[in-house]
Amino acid sequence: MTATKDIQQAFKERLDYDELMNCMRCGFCLPSCPTYGQTNQYEAASPRGRIALMKGVVDGLIEPDEAVEKQLNLCLGCRACEPVCPSGVKYGHLLEEARDIIQQKKRHKWPVKALRHMVFEQLFPHKERLKNVHSLLAFYQRSGLQKAVQKTNILNVLPGNLAQMEKTLPPVLTKKEMKKRPFLFEAEGTRERTVAFFTGCLMDTMFMETNNATIALLQKAGCKVVIPEVQTCCGALHAHGGEKDQAKKLAKQNIMAFESIQADDIVLNAGGCGALLVEYDHLLKEEPEWKERAAAFSAKVKDFSEILLQQQFVEKQKLSLPSQIITYQDSCHLRNVMKTSSAPRKLIQAINGTVFNEMENADHCCGSAGIYNLTEQEMSMQILDYKMEKVKEAHAHTIVTANPGCLIQMKLGVVREGVEESVRAVHLADLLLEAVESK
Amino acid sequence: MLNERTKAKLIEVVGSANFQDSSEARLVYSYDATPNFQSLPDAVIMPENKDQVKRILTICNEDHVPIVPRGSGTNLSAGTCPTQGGIVLTFNRMNKILEIDEENLTATVQPGVITLDLVNAVEAKGLFYPPDPSSMKISTIGGNINECSGGLRGLKYGVTKDYVLGLEVVLANGDCIKTGGKLAKDVAGYDLTNLFVGSEGTLGVVTEAILKLIPIPETKQTLLALFEDMDAAAKTVSAIIANKIIPATLEFLDQPTCEVVEDFAQVGLPTDVNAVLLIEQDGPPEVVTRDIEMISRICSEGNAVSVKVAASQAEAEALSTARRSALSALARMKPTTILEDATVPRSKISEMVKAINEIAVKYNVKICTFGHAGDGNLHPTCLTDARDEEELHRVEQAFEAIFHKAIELGGTITGEHGVGEMKAPYLALKMGGEGVAAMKAIKYALDPQGIMNPGKIFAKDTRKRVVVRS
Ligand SMILES: Cc1cc2nc3c(=O)[nH]c(=O)nc-3n(C[C@H](O)[C@H](O)[C@H](O)COP(=O)(O)OP(=O)(O)OC[C@H]3O[C@@H](n4cnc5c(N)ncnc54)[C@H](O)[C@@H]3O)c2cc1C
Ligand code: SF4
Ligand code: SF4
């Protein structure tokens, strides 16, 4: 069978036809879709269009050719189209499945294969290695992989973008500093809850300070914080990048790690990871022996902002900062999948001395979307530039985000605009801790 | 398929970036919001201005290529499904609000402007554009004009045709005409403006429109009345109007609709009563307060089990947003949702709803009904599964019975969604043979080759089917 026929067959077998039928093509999702907006309202770059393409392949109306694949790749996976869909179409699940099929059936040229292997199997599941991102980058550049990748037109944008991005990265802690952290933190004052902390891989390497800040805030809010040692990467990059099997493996590892701790909640500060964690039950839906355990796990997952609010953090702590205008960029997955959008805003608004200015379309994706800003650089930057315009219109000095990918992207936006002197991007946890400390 | 010569000529007009004929592009312009209709066009073209439209039409007229103008494809009558192939013409690049004239109270727009964008732009200037189809967040002005869309405010303010003052239209042969204008009074010859409104892309391409604006109402109040009994609700509708009150909005939802909408929108709609009326009045505060009080009293006297005025703007907004999502929310229940658009004189609402329920029982299909009670415009909506051929056949029979009943009660087969291809077989029911012939005479006078949206409005054969398979 040719790859195309193979893909077509797998679409028929694996895509949920009921879900495809559920889309009644009303178009309510169109205005919420950033790629539809940025392509001058091209139907194929809309949720309704992408669903139609998937269904078209299943129905045998079209072949899953490169154009179809391109449109599926161009989707940010931000899932802004889901909450607005009155028919409740689970678009994200359809997309994940379709991408998985295409990835698995595709015969990649070796450099692409090698790069995917490096990112998905060698890098993200291994936190130790992630801590050496710098040396990995060096390896990537020296091994000849970079040259080979540059030749394929799929990822040839990677190095240029990375170079710009490097400027935005926070100083990585030394390995010794990383090792120093204990695994148990008692609550300040009376203990009211025990929470297990999901560290995430990027959060715990490049943004370890933010993780430390989050833990400190949770303590101040009366939580005992436990960090299960054997936890691993959430698997979101894999699930969204068409590596579902690997994602499932990671999910099981995490479920086991957290089962060993009797915590009230599983807390994290990265919406991108959280969205997959709350859907572990869906990810493992075909594995009877895991389904229930996954559901129990997922039910406990919460963003730290929700816990802080629930624990009356703002009543317990006096928050203040020097005068500044703050705006908030929603993390798509935090908002559209975890359904957390008001908690971060309430926390920010509780900081004395600052003004909160909602920017227009704060709920629109920033264009980061996993590794999208590497693989679809052009669209990603177009979306980012649009976003920075909105930041400017809000006259913000501080852009707050709640997800590492978005944070890097917004920092990149600040660099691209050349406004490093007057605008900064920070994670909500860091901002809140700053507000506690500077009172 | 287009022949290479035609294709080259069209590309010369719009450039290759705005001429798409990949299988991907053809697929995503093969459908609209109408269930069960799908058919691939040969190409999709995105013109930038009137001149390009003129040249495209001239080429297509010479080469006999069908043209399907398309806004956002939200219509529910298969009006933009390219069943005869040809070219889909989109207006996403012609989406500018050209002028808001505060002295003459008009707006001049290109056809691709999204309805809500226009509404927001004029409201920012303290003006009001009343037509508000539930799809206004997505629909375009070009689509609204060509379907003569109505909305929740239709009862008091009328529908799209009441707000179109003038049009610029490119005809099938490439000629461009201007009808009407900013004038409040104009009786020079035939009223072509009104002819093109609701013409469903079969007479020409609208490239510009002058729309009428009015001052924005000062305030608004929303009221929800619940009834155990459908008949009581319908009588209340008549009683309100008989008392010489014209509410801005007077919407009706039956029990199954409420249940589904509440499930989706969670705004506190009751799910245990048989009929709900959502009523809104706008205007000067004194008038609104007086009217709402009066309406409350009429509802109570009409045996409403509960009458509640929304406490805040937010609460009111939530209720009307919920109503706007009714159709799509119904789509949650079953894979295929077929919505109809039967309209009767408002005094016959109760009779019509009763008949719909009986027809549903007779043909053993699930029908939920909601709609613009104030205008007698009902949307009986059938929840089904297109894969169940046998059930689909019963659905078709049920709808046919509903149309017959509507006509019998002095109504029509569509109040606002248009005839398109879906309802073409029923046009004669409403118009009679001579009526259809007169309409066809106009159509072929303006479009002798029949290139403008062929297959729409006029049925090719007498096959009476509500749904057609792709
Ligand atoms: C959930 C939902 C709710 C809806 N609610 C309502 C409602 O409350 N009231 C109502 O009236 N309708 C409603 N509709 C139907 C539909 O939204 C309207 O008919 C709308 O006006 C269509 O706009 P559009 O831009 O999508 O046009 P399209 O669907 O793209 O086109 C509609 C017709 O106009 C023609 N056309 C479009 N642009 C041009 C042009 N420039 N020149 C010539 N012909 C053109 C097309 O050929 C077609 O025949 C609803 C639809 C949905 C899915
Ligand atoms: S809103 Fe939902 S049902 Fe409507 S077109 Fe989008 S995905 Fe389909
Ligand atoms: S996930 Fe985001 S980018 Fe993808 S179709 Fe939905 S709204 Fe558009």
Side-chain angles (χ1 to χ4, degrees), chain A residues 179-399:
Chain A
K179 283 239 164 78
K180 238 174 25 199
R181 187 173 62 193
F183 293 97
L184 209 153
F185 302 80
E186 260 312 331
E188 277 179 24
T190 42
R191 181 211 301 171
E192 291 156 32
R193 283 188 101 67
T194 301
V195 303
F197 188 61
F198 183 85
T199 56
C201 26
L202 270 186
M203 284 313 296
D204 220 29
T205 48
M206 271 191 245
F207 297 105
M208 191 169 196
E209 302 254 38
T210 303
N211 267 358
N212 293 342
T214 310
I215 293 166
L217 295 171
L218 288 165
Q219 287 176 287
K220 289 180 194 305
C223 299
K224 172 182 164 183
V225 184
V226 188
I227 304 182
E229 226 179 316
V230 286
Q231 59 175 295
T232 180
C233 169
C234 64
L237 278 185
H238 306 79
H240 305 146
E243 303 285 339
K244 239 180 152 175
D245 282 341
Q246 183 70 14
K248 287 183 192 169
K249 224 191 285 169
L250 296 171
K252 290 174 193 168
Q253 223 168 309
N254 279 325
I255 293 172
M256 286 190 289
F258 282 83
E259 274 174 346
S260 63
I261 292 168
Q262 299 292 322
D264 298 314
D265 316 273
I266 297 171
V267 182
L268 79 168
N269 59 11
C273 308
L276 190 72
L277 298 185
V278 296
E279 291 195 333
Y280 270 1
D281 50 342
H282 172 77
L283 186 66
L284 297 172
K285 68 173 189 295
E286 269 139 32
E287 305 196 27
E289 67 278 30
W290 282 95
K291 213 183 151 198
E292 235 166 74
R293 292 167 73 180
F297 176 96
S298 293
K300 284 190 178 179
V301 175
K302 290 201 186 80
D303 188 66
F304 81 104
S305 60
E306 298 279 5
I307 298 283
L308 290 186
L309 215 63
Q310 180 192 323
Q311 290 293 108
Q312 284 159 342
F313 176 76
V314 292
E315 286 83 12
K316 286 175 184 160
Q317 301 287 334
K318 277 247 165 324
L319 302 173
S320 73
L321 279 177
S323 149
Q324 56 192 295
I325 297 174
I326 304 181
T327 198
Y328 176 70
Q329 162 63 29
D330 280 287
S331 143
C332 299
H333 285 174
L334 185 59
R335 182 184 181 104
N336 301 326
V337 187
M338 292 183 77
K339 313 271 187 241
T340 292
S341 63
S342 68
R345 290 178 165 82
K346 283 186 189 146
L347 290 167
I348 296 170
Q349 280 164 325
I351 303 174
N352 290 314
T354 67
V355 176
F356 179 71
N357 248 1
E358 188 78 67
M359 69 171 125
E360 201 190 334
N361 288 334
D363 58 348
H364 254 50
C365 183
C366 63
S368 163
I371 55 169
Y372 188 92
N373 55 2
L374 301 179
T375 56
E376 299 288 340
Q377 193 199 26
E378 207 184 316
M379 178 58 78
S380 168
M381 291 306 116
Q382 210 173 312
I383 293 174
L384 178 58
D385 293 346
Y386 170 82
K387 183 101 290 179
M388 292 310 293
E389 250 170 61
K390 302 293 164 200
V391 169
K392 230 186 279 169
E393 282 166 21
H395 307 290
H397 306 111
T398 308
I399 313 164

Side-chain angles (χ1 to χ4, degrees), chain A residues 29-30 32-36 45-48 50 72 74-82 91-92 95 99 332 336 365 372:
Chain A
C29 52
L30 301 190
S32 68
C33 177
T35 56
Y36 182 66
S46 80
R48 179 173 69 171
R50 292 184 175 116
L72 294 180
L74 200 64
C75 168
L76 294 150
C78 69
R79 295 170 72 170
C81 46
E82 283 187 36
Y91 171 81
L95 178 76
R99 280 186 175 168
C332 299
N336 301 326
C365 183
Y372 188 92

Side-chain angles (χ1 to χ4, degrees), chain B residues 7 185 195 214 262 321 332 356 374 431 434 443 463:
Chain B
K7 180 171 165 178
K185 292 171 132 187
L195 174 63
I214 57 176
E262 177 57 18
T321 306
R332 293 195 155 209
I356 291 170
M431 292 304 302
E434 291 90 344
K443 156 85 184 169
R463 193 176 43 155

Side-chain angles (χ1 to χ4, degrees), chain B residues 160-171:
Chain B
T160 302
K161 72 172 175 209
D162 301 310
Y163 295 87
V164 182
L165 294 173
L167 291 173
E168 178 186 86
V169 183
V170 177
L171 300 176

Side-chain angles (χ1 to χ4, degrees), chain A residues 18 25 42-43 48 86, chain B residues 24 31 34 72 92 332 387:
Chain A
D18 281 341
R25 312 191 294 210
Y42 181 44
E43 178 82 16
R48 179 173 69 171
Chain B
E24 162 222 275
Y31 56 80
T34 323
S72 298
N92 50 335
R332 293 195 155 209
R387 289 165 294 191

